Amino acid sequence: MKIKQSGSLCSAIHSASSAMFMPFPFRWDAALKTLVVASLVSHGSIQADEIDEEEFDLNVLEEIIVTAQKRMLTIQDTPLAVTALSGGELDEAQITNAMDLQMSVPNMSMTKSNFAASNITIRGIGNNAVSSAADSGTGVHFNGVYLKASRIFETEFYDTERIEVLRGPQGTLYGRNTTAGVINVISKKPQDIFGGDVSVQVGNYNSVKTKAAINIPLTDNLWQRFSGFYLQRDGYVENNHTGNDV
């Protein structure tokens, strides 16, 4: 009786051990599917990383160098209220003259005043004096040179590297007539490569506007740049006495 029980117990232990160490059937199809899915996920993550890097490159801010403080600094490092527009940004915004500039500069307005002058107001500060000798509250500089009675409202921008508008009093660096701020117009400088550009626009009333520039490197250390501007348009009012357009 005891022997039978012992045999049954040994048989049960052998069955349990066989079940415990029995190899699990390997599913090759499931393994292949897992491998394919893992490779697709890895490939997708790589593509996502490449896209993220491309988007990061596109979202990097363009570094703009300004001379608002009479020295070359990035606009991020300039502790002034400055609006800087490069030549490309002027073309994209269709800013062709100073009257268009006020549409892209905050706290700035510009009107034509008497005696062929202009009144530039920045942050509500300007000069409305009716006099040919009255100075504006905003200083206008072209390549670092102060322009008095500049008639900037009639000036067309061409071959311009950038325009800087400084808001607030700037008397410490720019002297008198800068109570409201300063407008700096900087033209393009010669470069060590040969090149140029031409732009021609035509319109009604025989309007023709032409801009051209050419850059010529004379030697390794001597470069020259020439630029020109031409604007012509017939009048739209007829002089009944002479028959000419006015």
Side-chain angles (χ1 to χ4, degrees):
M1 194 69 180
K2 292 181 180 179
I3 295 175
K4 291 183 179 180
Q5 291 179 353
S6 172
S8 301
L9 181 60
C10 292
S11 177
I13 293 173
H14 178 71
S15 300
S17 63
S18 299
M20 182 180 299
F21 295 101
M22 183 179 293
F24 187 80
F26 189 76
R27 296 290 300 277
W28 287 100
D29 54 348
L32 290 175
K33 290 180 181 179
T34 305
L35 181 61
V36 170
V37 171
S39 63
L40 290 177
V41 172
S42 176
H43 182 67
S45 62
I46 294 174
Q47 288 185 342
D49 294 339
E50 293 177 353
I51 294 174
D52 292 341
E53 291 179 358
E54 293 178 357
E55 291 180 354
F56 177 77
D57 294 336
L58 293 176
N59 293 331
V60 172
L61 291 176
E62 180 183 0
E63 189 177 71
I64 301 177
I65 305 298
V66 297
T67 54
Q69 290 187 306
K70 300 296 184 69
R71 55 179 178 170
M72 299 182 65
L73 292 173
T74 62
I75 192 171
Q76 290 87 354
D77 296 333
T78 303
L80 296 174
V82 184
T83 298
L85 300 172
S86 63
E89 291 174 338
L90 294 175
D91 295 336
E92 292 178 0
Q94 298 184 355
I95 300 175
T96 59
N97 52 49
M99 300 299 289
D100 298 334
L101 185 63
Q102 62 181 330
M103 305 301 178
S104 299
V105 178
N107 310 122
M108 175 184 174
S109 63
M110 186 174 182
T111 57
K112 183 181 179 304
S113 58
N114 295 326
F115 300 102
S118 60
N119 181 27
I120 304 174
T121 303
I122 298 179
R123 291 179 174 175
I125 301 175
N127 189 356
N128 293 322
V130 183
S131 173
S132 58
D135 293 326
S136 173
T138 303
V140 180
H141 294 74
F142 179 76
N143 289 337
V145 179
Y146 175 72
L147 303 179
K148 177 177 174 60
S150 61
R151 300 175 66 92
I152 190 174
F153 63 92
E154 295 178 342
T155 304
E156 289 274 347
F157 298 143
Y158 72 97
D159 203 35
T160 304
E161 180 178 338
R162 69 181 181 276
I163 293 179
E164 304 170 1
V165 180
L166 286 65
R167 300 186 296 277
Q170 307 295 330
T172 303
L173 292 177
Y174 292 92
R176 59 177 295 185
N177 304 331
T178 58
T179 306
V182 171
I183 298 177
N184 287 329
V185 181
I186 296 94
S187 61
K188 289 184 178 179
K189 305 299 187 294
Q191 300 177 352
D192 59 347
I193 58 175
F194 179 81
D197 59 86
V198 177
S199 174
V200 180
Q201 299 179 9
V202 295
N204 56 353
Y205 298 101
N206 296 323
S207 174
V208 178
K209 180 190 293 186
T210 304
K211 302 178 183 179
I214 184 171
N215 192 86
I216 304 175
L218 302 178
T219 64
D220 293 339
N221 299 320
L222 182 61
W223 317 320
Q224 183 65 57
R225 186 178 183 87
F226 299 94
S227 59
F229 175 80
Y230 174 81
L231 176 62
Q232 176 63 41
R233 183 182 181 184
D234 294 341
Y236 51 87
V237 177
E238 183 179 357
N239 188 334
N240 293 327
H241 179 69
T242 61
N244 300 326
D245 293 333
V246 180

